[in-house]
Amino acid sequence: MEENDPSSVNHCKNDDPNSFSEPNSPTLETVSGFSTCSSPVPPEPFEPLFSVKFSGTVEKDGDIVKYTIKSIKKNDDVSFVVQRQYEDFEWLEHCLLTSNPLPGLIIPPLPPKPAITSEMAEAKSKRQLGSDTKTLIGDQFNKDCLQLEQYLRLLLCHCLFGRDEVLEKFLTEKEPPPRAKVKRGIFSRISESLEGRKSSHRDCEEFFQKERDWISKYSVQIKETNEAFCSVVYSQQRLCNVLGHLATALTLAQCSNENIAKLGNKLCSLFSEALEDARHGLQVLSYNDENTLGAYVDLYTRYIESEKEMLLQRTCLLVEYENANKALDKAKPQKKAAAEEAKFAAEKAFEDCSDVARQEIKKFHRQRVKMFQESLEKFAEAQLRNARDVTAMLAKSLTKIKQFEINL
């Protein structure tokens, strides 16, 4: 077999000089799944074997929160109802990763652990409402359910994880999986630190190099977008608190029983009702923002990190392949066979990872754009609906105030 240095070989060479607009900028070909690079025949679209839905029933006992999951197996229309804790999802993720150690996969990200303890709730309240707040944000079980439900759907839509027996048992067996705490050891962190140094290594394939250049910029941008969007939502929540306090203060500001004072009290009550309507409308707006466009930005802030990890893993295999080529060139005659075997193994691992990664990236971007469109539509529809509702409520309050008669 001819010995080539992979650093000098373009595995997906493109002879058309006009197929990319700029050397280092992503295009439709590089980020939306229509690469001109050679790749295996795209697999048939995978249909999820189950449909899942979290019910509104959430049981909380101290620091233990149980979510009720309803699932239907599509082939035979059999339904299942199970209860799971967040730790069960952590164990599911661990089992799926250990049973499918295939390089090149983009792993759907598990949502962060919900704030279930009083300490976590206090820290969350201060972060969202301000450090001097005395108000505690209540349990947000609906948001937690939506995030975990989305996580399961992403797993079910994946052609590999969606077929895994571990996931099927998770959805169908009444008894939860063993709740063993998953810990990351110091050696795995050291290994990741060492691998991180290879992230700047130049790729031998233009498709992957452009993807890496794109994601290094996009990951920063979407993280900043997520922080800015959260800042808007938190400002809405703080304003809701202020409007609530003001409405309460107006209701409690009772004066004497004189006629003029009574009229003032009634006007304050009418104004308080208007403020409550405005507060309710802003509360609904904040909730909708957080669960439409905000949910998408939050998800893909974490999902992009999964793709970065996959690309780093592939880069590490590329470095190993290049090192194996160099070792083969320098190998002495008695060690030539072993070095050639190591080179073939490294080459196969790298090429297998590249084939899987190429398909994963294309699918990832199609899914990303589709979900972005859906979230924008829901966001805009919720904005319009809420604006109409708030306008109608404030118009009624305004009419009441205008019709209020002051008889002195």
Side-chain angles (χ1 to χ4, degrees):
M1 181 175 179
E2 185 179 355
E3 298 166 11
N4 291 322
D5 186 348
S7 63
S8 63
V9 177
N10 189 341
H11 293 273
C12 55
K13 186 175 180 181
N14 186 0
D15 296 327
D16 183 1
N18 299 318
S19 55
F20 298 99
S21 56
E22 297 178 33
N24 296 316
S25 65
T27 66
L28 179 64
E29 292 182 334
T30 59
V31 301
S32 64
F34 296 100
S35 170
T36 56
C37 301
S38 60
S39 63
V41 177
E44 292 295 324
F46 177 70
E47 288 295 328
L49 304 179
F50 289 84
S51 63
V52 294
K53 182 73 177 176
F54 277 57
S55 75
T57 306
V58 177
E59 296 180 9
K60 183 176 181 181
D61 183 11
D63 294 343
I64 298 175
V65 178
K66 293 182 179 180
Y67 306 97
T68 302
I69 308 172
K70 297 179 180 179
S71 59
I72 299 176
K73 194 168 186 178
K74 294 186 176 181
N75 288 343
D76 46 19
D77 207 30
V78 178
S79 61
F80 305 88
V81 179
V82 298
Q83 283 192 326
R84 296 290 183 259
Q85 300 179 27
Y86 182 81
E87 289 74 17
D88 298 330
F89 287 88
E90 289 182 315
W91 184 247
L92 171 65
E93 180 188 50
H94 172 73
C95 291
L96 289 174
L97 295 185
T98 53
S99 61
N100 299 284
L102 184 62
L105 295 176
I106 301 177
I107 314 298
L110 179 66
K113 188 171 183 177
I116 54 177
T117 66
S118 57
E119 293 81 7
M120 294 169 70
E122 182 179 358
K124 182 177 181 179
S125 300
K126 288 185 177 181
R127 183 175 69 252
Q128 296 185 199
L129 303 179
S131 57
D132 57 344
T133 185
K134 302 297 182 181
T135 304
L136 276 182
I137 295 178
D139 295 320
Q140 295 180 305
F141 292 139
N142 185 66
K143 179 182 176 181
D144 302 336
C145 288
L146 289 175
Q147 288 185 332
L148 291 171
E149 183 179 303
Q150 182 65 65
Y151 172 68
L152 287 179
R153 286 178 176 170
L154 290 172
L155 290 177
L156 288 166
C157 289
H158 195 279
C159 58
L160 187 62
F161 299 130
R163 293 188 178 97
D164 199 292
E165 185 181 358
V166 174
L167 180 57
E168 181 173 353
K169 290 181 177 179
F170 181 87
L171 295 173
T172 59
E173 294 186 353
K174 286 284 186 182
E175 289 299 318
R179 294 192 183 105
K181 190 170 181 63
V182 180
K183 295 183 179 180
R184 300 175 64 199
I186 185 173
F187 293 108
S188 69
R189 290 195 294 270
I190 293 174
S191 175
E192 288 178 4
S193 176
L194 293 173
E195 288 183 351
R197 299 177 186 177
K198 302 175 184 177
S199 60
S200 59
H201 188 83
R202 188 74 185 174
D203 207 291
C204 64
E205 296 190 33
E206 189 177 25
F207 172 77
F208 286 105
Q209 186 59 52
K210 289 193 175 212
E211 183 71 9
R212 287 168 54 187
D213 293 342
W214 173 82
I215 204 170
S216 65
K217 297 176 182 178
Y218 186 75
S219 61
V220 175
Q221 292 169 348
I222 195 169
K223 184 177 180 181
E224 292 175 349
T225 302
N226 187 43
E227 291 173 352
F229 198 92
C230 287
S231 179
V232 171
V233 172
Y234 297 162
S235 297
Q236 292 170 343
Q237 293 173 349
R238 286 194 287 271
L239 183 54
C240 281
N241 264 5
V242 172
L243 289 174
H245 290 321
L246 180 56
T248 302
L250 286 170
T251 303
L252 297 176
Q254 300 294 331
C255 303
S256 64
N257 290 326
E258 297 180 3
N259 288 337
I260 187 66
K262 289 180 179 179
L263 291 174
N265 292 342
K266 289 180 179 179
L267 273 175
C268 284
S269 295
L270 290 175
F271 187 37
S272 176
E273 290 176 10
L275 289 176
E276 276 295 330
D277 290 339
R279 185 192 68 83
H280 176 71
L282 190 59
Q283 200 171 33
V284 173
L285 179 68
S286 172
Y287 175 84
N288 289 336
D289 289 355
E290 194 173 21
N291 289 286
T292 52
L293 190 57
Y296 168 85
V297 175
D298 175 68
L299 170 63
Y300 275 88
T301 299
R302 293 178 283 110
Y303 218 153
I304 284 293
E305 293 302 315
S306 294
E307 189 191 0
K308 285 178 69 176
E309 290 177 13
M310 180 276 290
L311 290 171
L312 175 58
Q313 186 183 32
R314 181 187 167 278
T315 302
C316 293
L317 291 175
L318 171 61
V319 173
E320 291 174 9
Y321 178 28
E322 291 177 346
N323 291 339
N325 267 313
K326 294 174 184 177
L328 177 59
D329 291 340
K330 298 176 182 179
K332 296 180 180 179
Q334 63 270 26
K335 295 184 178 180
K336 199 81 172 176
E340 190 169 355
E341 184 179 348
K343 182 253 183 184
F344 288 153
E347 181 182 22
K348 185 178 187 307
F350 172 66
E351 292 293 348
D352 289 347
C353 176
S354 297
D355 287 341
V356 173
R358 197 174 289 111
Q359 295 292 348
E360 286 280 293
I361 289 171
K362 292 175 181 180
K363 184 186 72 173
F364 175 78
H365 285 301
R366 289 192 184 98
Q367 175 182 273
R368 179 177 65 85
V369 173
K370 181 181 178 183
M371 291 184 67
F372 182 41
Q373 181 183 8
E374 291 173 351
S375 66
L376 275 177
E377 290 174 358
K378 292 179 180 178
F379 174 75
E381 289 170 357
Q383 291 273 332
L384 289 171
R385 186 170 55 250
N386 186 72
R388 285 194 294 264
D389 293 343
V390 172
T391 301
M393 288 190 296
L394 292 180
K396 288 181 180 179
S397 296
L398 179 60
T399 301
K400 289 180 181 179
I401 293 175
K402 285 182 175 180
Q403 293 176 348
F404 183 77
E405 295 182 1
I406 302 177
N407 298 317
L408 297 178

